[in-house]
Amino acid sequence: MKEYELFIGPQHPGTTGNMMYHIWADGDVVKKVECNVGYLHRGFEKLMESRLWMQNVPLICRICVPEPDVNEAAYAMAVEDLMEWEIPDRARYIRTIVLELARISAYLMAIGGYAGSIGIYTLPQWAFGDRDYILDIFEQLTGARVYHIYIWPGGVRWDMPAELPMLMEKTLSYIEERLKMYDDVLFRNRIFFDRAVGIGKIPHGKAIEWGVTGPNLRACGYGYDVRKLEPYAAYDDIDFDVVKYPNFNGFDVPSEGCDVYSRMLVRRIEIEQSINIIRQALKKMPSGEHILKHPNWLRWKVPAGYSFKRVESSKGEYGYFVVSDGGLKPVRIHVRGPSYTHGINVAESILKEANIADVSQILFSLDVCAPDIER
Amino acid sequence: MSILKPLKAWKHLAKKPHTIRYPYEEHVDMEGKKLPVDTLRGFHTNDLDKCIGCGLCGKICMNEAITYEKIPELKEKGLKGINIRPVIDYGRCCFCGLCTEICPTKSLKLTPNFKLISTDKKDYKFMPTQLVEKNDDFAVDLDKVLFSPDDYSKKFNEEEKDNAKES
Ligand code: SF4
Ligand code: SF4
């Protein structure tokens, strides 16, 4: 059969966000892929150069929709580094809780989206519904459901309301309960098993070379997690093990890793890990101040220098490179989004020789987020 | 691995759905607390007598959503400060709350009120006053904005016909 072209995106439920994969296929088999971005460029990095240090805070969270808090945390950490600030202990714990809640909500979205891509439409409805219970917590903690603008340089915006830990505990137990249903419908489902094992493999040894990070790298058997290697917030006081292939406690490990199956299972197990982290953080949380005193925002000068701070997001390693010349505004801010490598280089390579029907499940398993490719 | 386990999902047929018929049904959290909570960042409220017209809120707002308007009556009341008060364009505002944090008199605040439905874009720009705090101010005639599906398709068809006539 003759080779033909196919466009997946920019408006296609099989891609995660407004981006396009231009595919050349022979029959059912993909021969060549070209990733096409540019539908979502909002110029955040340039915009940040023309705003005061504090004015950037409401802007940066908009870079990533499913998990905005990692942006706030990385930016805040970089500014604190330049200011040589040591944030209060309570703020460190609240940040950990917020980041882990955001991780759970992002994973729920990723798992729901993935299940939709292999035709299990029950799970997207459940996952998005359950995610809303986490947004309820965010609403009470931060005053907003999606863009929280809560992690500020120097700490967190408000203290945690006294009754919130109870609601969190209730929601977490509910999600734990629900995960059992998720297992029945997706993770222990024969359909998932047959469709995902051995599909979309990142070739052995290539993962590091290609710059894969986060759950996608852990699915290849590397125990790489920024939370462990370079602990930020309160992660150094918290006891947790990095989830990696093949330590899928209780789940089958039929494949050699690096495939769709292991990538999704790492995410599934990390939800439990996040729940565990939040419980520990709630227990250990000290009392005290939640934020340092800010200088006058309109005349806030950050000392000259540069700082690169990274955090572990649900998609991979997320970093902010901030340069200051000692002025009122940053000189340059560069965002290192994990989807840049996953969505362009990795996806273009591993989609080759894949079946057209598998294209969207491979993309969803990489958890590509178009907004953080383009900023 | 099983092919039968997924069928357990059927038991949800007998359960209450996640979704609520908002705004007819109340939105509550897991513990039954009514949402939105008071800390939700919605429309502003401003105590015009407390505000001193310093203009800081307009300076920090990165969306340039805040402009100022003169209120001559304030001068007559023998007020300190300048007789300008902030006017907020909700087409631009992102409800970040930086303006309320920087306000030296703390007269400007955010309310949990977020409902504003209008077909006229001029309605989205107004001066926040204390009155905004009351939800009734924004109480929308729900029947006017929410059509039943039948009405909706009727209205849609009529508009389609009009469009066809014009073109
Ligand atoms: S609302 Fe506050 S910041 Fe704005 S002009 Fe009035 S006093 Fe100044
Ligand atoms: S809430 Fe934010 S965007 Fe809205 S007027 Fe205040 S500073 Fe401007």
Side-chain angles (χ1 to χ4, degrees):
Chain A
M1 198 180 158
K2 238 179 99 205
E3 196 172 86
Y4 63 95
E5 287 175 47
L6 195 69
F7 296 89
I8 299 205
Q11 292 135 356
H12 188 286
T15 56
T16 44
N18 302 23
M19 61 191 298
M20 192 241 279
Y21 288 92
H22 188 174
I23 287 172
W24 284 265
D26 184 2
D28 227 7
V29 183
V30 177
K31 288 292 168 208
K32 191 177 143 202
V33 189
E34 219 168 64
C35 173
N36 223 327
V37 288
Y39 302 93
L40 208 56
H41 186 68
R42 295 147 296 169
F44 279 127
E45 289 180 358
K46 195 73 197 162
L47 264 177
M48 285 191 248
E49 291 166 18
S50 60
R51 295 179 175 210
L52 301 174
W53 289 97
M54 203 55 208
Q55 285 181 331
N56 278 330
V57 176
L59 178 72
I60 43 176
C61 51
R62 278 152 232 276
I63 292 178
C64 180
V65 189
E67 201 189 10
D69 306 81
V70 284
N71 293 285
E72 297 172 14
Y75 177 77
M77 279 155 55
V79 173
E80 283 152 13
D81 187 30
L82 290 171
M83 295 292 291
E84 295 178 6
W85 276 353
E86 191 68 48
I87 66 164
D89 267 354
R90 190 174 172 83
R92 281 173 47 223
Y93 277 87
I94 299 182
R95 276 188 189 181
T96 312
I97 293 169
V98 170
L99 289 171
E100 290 307 317
L101 282 173
R103 190 185 317 278
I104 298 178
S105 79
Y107 278 158
L108 287 178
M109 234 168 144
I111 289 172
Y114 171 78
S117 78
I118 57 169
I120 302 177
Y121 293 117
T122 317
L123 208 57
Q125 317 290 344
W126 287 359
F128 278 71
D130 291 340
R131 175 174 173 266
D132 251 53
Y133 292 115
I134 295 179
L135 301 191
D136 285 351
I137 300 180
F138 275 131
E139 179 179 329
Q140 299 186 32
L141 178 62
T142 70
R145 290 180 79 82
V146 177
Y147 296 127
H148 312 127
I149 319 182
Y150 182 67
I151 299 178
W152 282 9
V156 291
R157 184 174 189 164
W158 294 312
D159 205 354
M160 188 186 285
E163 73 284 358
L164 211 57
M166 255 134 59
L167 176 67
M168 280 186 198
E169 182 47 51
K170 206 165 185 178
T171 312
L172 294 181
S173 341
Y174 168 79
I175 287 180
E176 256 177 350
E177 232 6 81
R178 292 288 288 169
L179 279 179
K180 287 182 198 147
M181 284 308 295
Y182 287 22
D183 291 346
D184 287 340
V185 173
L186 182 70
F187 295 103
R188 293 189 199 281
N189 184 343
R190 184 82 218 180
I191 296 173
F192 169 60
F193 194 83
D194 287 349
R195 285 218 45 194
V197 173
I199 300 292
K201 274 187 117 162
I202 296 175
H204 191 71
K206 285 279 186 205
I208 300 274
E209 193 182 308
W210 286 352
V212 179
T213 49
N216 298 341
L217 184 61
R218 294 196 280 280
C220 296
Y222 297 92
Y224 179 88
D225 192 324
V226 183
R227 289 177 290 178
K228 266 275 189 257
L229 290 177
E230 213 175 81
Y232 52 97
Y235 287 112
D236 42 356
D237 299 344
I238 281 168
D239 178 34
F240 67 100
D241 291 325
V242 176
V243 179
K244 63 171 190 189
Y245 167 86
N247 307 336
F248 299 153
N249 38 341
F251 289 92
D252 299 350
V253 192
S255 61
E256 295 158 17
C258 304
D259 57 353
V260 173
Y261 180 84
S262 359
R263 286 199 284 271
M264 290 322 291
L265 268 189
V266 167
R267 294 199 167 84
R268 154 70 182 82
I269 297 167
E270 282 191 5
I271 294 185
E272 272 171 3
Q273 182 199 42
S274 294
I275 292 178
N276 179 12
I277 293 177
I278 297 172
R279 286 200 174 126
Q280 286 187 44
L282 281 174
K283 221 176 267 162
K284 287 188 182 167
M285 193 156 65
S287 54
E289 279 297 304
H290 59 91
I291 192 164
L292 298 175
K293 204 174 159 355
H294 281 176
N296 180 344
W297 288 347
L298 295 170
R299 271 182 250 117
W300 183 353
K301 287 188 180 156
V302 170
Y306 58 85
S307 173
F308 178 72
K309 284 286 165 195
R310 50 187 184 158
V311 292
E312 181 74 31
S313 84
S314 65
K315 320 233 175 308
E317 186 178 313
Y318 216 107
Y320 265 67
F321 181 64
V322 177
V323 186
S324 166
D325 63 352
L328 290 169
K329 293 167 185 169
V331 173
R332 173 87 172 99
I333 292 182
H334 178 72
V335 184
R336 192 264 180 216
S339 301
Y340 190 87
T341 38
H342 298 160
I344 300 181
N345 181 18
V346 177
E348 277 184 3
S349 310
I350 66 176
L351 283 178
K352 257 178 232 158
E353 300 301 324
N355 236 319
I356 286 180
D358 287 335
V359 168
S360 74
Q361 71 153 330
I362 292 174
L363 291 176
F364 271 97
S365 78
L366 287 171
D367 206 357
V368 177
C369 167
D372 98 45
I373 295 181
E374 293 190 54
R375 273 99 57 185
Chain B
M1 280 313 125
S2 161
I3 38 172
L4 295 176
K5 272 203 176 124
L7 299 180
K8 278 192 192 166
W10 284 102
K11 76 176 182 209
H12 279 75
L13 278 179
K15 284 196 176 161
K16 223 182 125 229
H18 273 308
T19 40
I20 51 167
R21 293 186 64 239
Y22 188 81
Y24 299 109
E25 265 175 64
E26 231 169 44
H27 181 195
V28 291
D29 73 5
M30 282 220 138
E31 295 198 306
K33 189 167 164 191
K34 192 174 165 281
L35 296 177
V37 285
D38 289 344
T39 45
L40 186 88
R41 302 197 303 265
F43 292 122
H44 299 73
T45 158
N46 193 6
D47 187 339
L48 292 188
D49 292 334
K50 242 167 106 193
C51 170
I52 50 171
C54 65
L56 282 181
C57 47
K59 274 199 191 122
I60 196 68
C61 178
M62 65 276 145
N63 293 335
E64 293 170 15
I66 304 185
T67 47
Y68 294 90
E69 229 168 63
K70 265 209 163 80
I71 306 190
E73 305 93 74
L74 285 172
K75 258 271 148 58
E76 285 156 26
K77 280 205 255 169
L79 213 79
K80 274 185 266 156
I82 311 162
N83 64 341
I84 53 167
R85 295 293 176 262
V87 175
I88 296 175
D89 182 351
Y90 288 101
R92 283 171 162 265
C93 176
C94 69
F95 305 102
C96 63
L98 289 191
C99 51
T100 62
E101 306 269 346
I102 205 171
C103 176
T105 60
K106 296 281 170 250
S107 65
L108 194 64
K109 288 195 195 96
L110 293 176
T111 61
N113 193 344
F114 59 90
K115 286 180 207 151
L116 172 57
I117 307 172
S118 170
T119 46
D120 188 356
K121 77 175 181 202
K122 281 196 208 93
D123 290 350
Y124 290 89
K125 189 172 180 179
F126 56 86
M127 176 177 292
T129 60
Q130 297 96 310
L131 285 176
V132 181
E133 221 153 354
K134 276 198 261 154
N135 243 340
D136 318 350
D137 238 37
F138 282 101
V140 189
D141 192 352
L142 281 179
D143 294 329
K144 229 183 198 169
V145 267
L146 299 173
F147 310 102
S148 77
D150 293 343
D151 288 351
Y152 191 79
S153 62
K154 216 189 278 165
K155 192 169 161 9
F156 182 79
N157 288 340
E158 274 164 20
E159 275 174 15
E160 278 292 282
K161 256 183 233 152
D162 289 349
N163 286 348
K165 247 183 240 159
E166 275 168 29
S167 61

